[in-house]
Amino acid sequence: MLGLMRKDLCLLLQRSRALVVMVGVGVIIGFSTDGGFLIGYLTMISAILTIGTISYDEFDNGYPFLLTLPVTRGSYVTAKYLFCLLGVLAGWAAASVIFAGCCLVRGEGFRMEQLAEALAFLPVAGLMTAVMLPLQLKYGAEKSRLALAVLAGGVVALGYMGMKLFPDLPGSLSGISGAAFGAALVGACIAALAVSFYCSLGIMEKKEL
């Protein structure tokens, strides 16, 4: 499992120039905008880059080769989830450090509200990972983008219908405290990751290589 994660890390490091450019863009954003956009930008980019390593495994009969090693389909899925989640955490931490450094250079403090806002991006990125990983394993890089677009459209449509059917819902939700909303978001992220993991296991077990 550690070998699979090391392989993915080496694949990412081969794109070191792109990573340096993205960090540079993040520094510019940190000086020109608020922390929410910077932290969200680098966290989501980290999720996309780590999930994208699946496309390298699919290329040129990569799966059959990996399974000739002491690697099972279950361990491959487990390693991929761990690597993606650690990548998201690393991207979030790097973005938070960059923004804190920008605040110090500008002579500003790093307020608790900004910390809470930064922490909120972790479960959001976790939910994104939970959705994208099984789609990528099931449909591949190209088709998964289309499936994700259809899924996003369905969520927007459901949200619009919900607003029409329950117009008083936003007002009732506004009374929920930030801590309760954060706890609900973390719980939803954990549940989504658990469901996503078992879906990915089933997809990988049935995948024809």
Side-chain angles (χ1 to χ4, degrees), residues 6-17:
R6 183 177 179 182
K7 168 191 67 68
D8 289 337
L9 180 60
C10 290
L11 288 173
L12 283 183
L13 292 178
Q14 288 180 357
R15 305 171 66 181
S16 56
R17 291 183 180 179

Side-chain angles (χ1 to χ4, degrees), residues 1-9 69-83 86 197:
M1 188 180 299
L2 289 176
L4 291 172
M5 296 173 67
R6 183 177 179 182
K7 168 191 67 68
D8 289 337
L9 180 60
L69 304 174
V71 173
T72 65
R73 299 183 184 221
S75 63
Y76 173 83
V77 172
T78 303
K80 192 62 67 176
Y81 270 78
L82 288 175
F83 179 75
L86 288 174
F197 178 74

Side-chain angles (χ1 to χ4, degrees), residues 36-91:
F37 184 81
L38 164 64
I39 296 171
Y41 164 76
L42 286 182
T43 303
M44 297 305 172
I45 287 293
S46 299
I48 292 171
L49 287 175
T50 52
I51 294 169
T53 56
I54 295 177
S55 61
Y56 289 96
D57 297 336
E58 296 171 341
F59 181 71
D60 200 16
N61 293 320
Y63 282 138
F65 171 74
L66 286 174
L67 293 177
T68 61
L69 304 174
V71 173
T72 65
R73 299 183 184 221
S75 63
Y76 173 83
V77 172
T78 303
K80 192 62 67 176
Y81 270 78
L82 288 175
F83 179 75
C84 290
L85 292 176
L86 288 174
V88 165
L89 184 60

